[in-house]
Amino acid sequence: MTHRKDAGLVLAGIRQIELQAMDRGAELLQLNEIIGETLFTLISTGTELALYLGRADFTNIPGYAAVFRVQEVGSEVLAFKPGDLAFCMGPHRSVQRVRETEALLLPEGLSPAAAVFARMMSVSMSTLSTTKARPPQRVMVSGLGLVGNMAAQLFAASGYSVTAYDPVAWKREAAARGAGAGSGAMVSNLPPVDDPAQRGKFALVVECSGHEQAVLDGCRMVGKNGEVVMVGVPWRKQTETYAHELLQHVFYNYVVLRSGWEWDIPTHAVSSVEPGIFTNLAGALQWLAAGKVKVDGLYEVVSPKEAAAVYEDLAEQRNYSLGFIFDWSLV
């Protein structure tokens, strides 16, 4: 393998992100590894913004959605060859090096830029894999950021009757036009918790905002024995709501309130009938390729050289796009 310099984004401190040179190294590929140059990576505006603002402490090399062109493969690799386009849960870096089992071949015809959204789809696909709600039951999606938008499309494409809520007008508009409208999901402002015609009519609430009030409202809207799944991470306290009010709804309405953290299921399915993260990612890529989930108009493509400005704009809520993709050909 050729020794060469590469680049990657590094969180150097709170609200400090830098494009730095990185050494690819000269180590030989392992027998089961593949390596290639990154085409696109997607910013996770939830997790990565929390890292940028110092609300979480996972790593100083952010990113977990990448598409790359395979350059070299280990001698035991069977699924990939040089020139193939591959998806992996890789960082914002100009090169991706992973084991064969940690990458997926892109379906023919799928845009590499669109393919990175499979990672955001997989967040709520864990809930889709584990919920007891079945189509055509009613599903409420709370929060229409990137994860919520993908969730609304996924559940609608799966045959559920979906109503999605978000108090932010431009996020509702993004869901209502193009992608959201095509999915068949209905979009509105705030859940009508005082409307008896709507309250208690949902089998599942997919809560994607991480806001305490949204969790409470979800417990009001779900029917008896229904599920409220917390997909959104509660990064910080946002209300003065007491737990007692939430517990009353959970207790008297038999609500199943549970975590929607995607890693509830294994990375790789243990059998053909069990869910797995990579099974869901493969399905997400196929759905994107088939047009069941649409991302046109949901994102902007930027250079990694602009990372500092992009993250700061996200922190100050100066952006009006759900997603931002780094184009590594611009480095």
Side-chain angles (χ1 to χ4, degrees), residues 188-200:
S188 191
N189 184 358
L190 293 172
V193 294
D194 295 322
D195 182 355
Q198 296 291 326
R199 186 167 174 169

Side-chain angles (χ1 to χ4, degrees), residues 37-42 65-68 88 90-93 96 111-114 116 299 301-302 325-329:
E37 292 191 343
T38 307
L39 301 179
F40 298 99
T41 58
L42 173 66
V67 168
F68 64 104
C88 71
H92 297 302
R93 187 170 176 173
Q96 304 294 328
S111 157
V116 292
Y299 63 92
V301 178
V302 296
I325 293 176
F326 289 125
D327 181 345
W328 287 88
S329 70

Side-chain angles (χ1 to χ4, degrees), residues 42 44 47-48 62-66 87-91 119-120 123 262:
L42 173 66
S44 169
T47 298
E48 290 185 49
Y64 55 51
F87 169 90
C88 71
M89 291 191 281
R119 182 65 183 85
M120 294 297 101
V123 175
E262 63 196 287

Side-chain angles (χ1 to χ4, degrees), residues 242-262:
Y242 286 99
H244 178 260
E245 187 174 359
L246 174 68
L247 296 177
Q248 275 196 316
H249 289 288
V250 170
F251 185 83
Y252 289 111
N253 207 29
Y254 310 103
V255 175
V256 178
L257 175 61
R258 65 179 176 92
S259 170
W261 199 19
E262 63 196 287

Side-chain angles (χ1 to χ4, degrees), residues 46-70:
T47 298
E48 290 185 49
L49 191 58
L51 290 167
Y52 180 74
L53 295 173
R55 294 174 183 159
D57 184 20
F58 296 130
T59 176
N60 66 339
I61 303 177
Y64 55 51
V67 168
F68 64 104
R69 188 179 301 278
V70 177

Side-chain angles (χ1 to χ4, degrees), residues 67-91:
V67 168
F68 64 104
R69 188 179 301 278
V70 177
Q71 292 177 303
E72 299 178 55
V73 302
S75 60
E76 293 184 358
V77 171
L78 299 176
F80 299 91
K81 65 182 185 303
D84 283 342
L85 296 179
F87 169 90
C88 71
M89 291 191 281

Side-chain angles (χ1 to χ4, degrees), residues 232-245:
V233 182
W235 293 112
R236 60 191 175 92
K237 180 181 177 181
Q238 302 189 77
T239 72
E240 297 299 323
T241 301
Y242 286 99
H244 178 260
E245 187 174 359

Side-chain angles (χ1 to χ4, degrees), residues 26 37 42 48 80 94 124 131 134 137 167 180-181 191 196 202 207 221 225 233 276 297 300 302 311 324-325:
E37 292 191 343
L42 173 66
E48 290 185 49
F80 299 91
S94 61
S124 58
T131 182
R134 291 291 178 263
Q137 288 181 301
F202 293 93
E207 204 303 286
M221 296 299 291
N225 296 303
V233 182
E300 295 181 28
V302 296
Y311 279 80
F324 289 86
I325 293 176

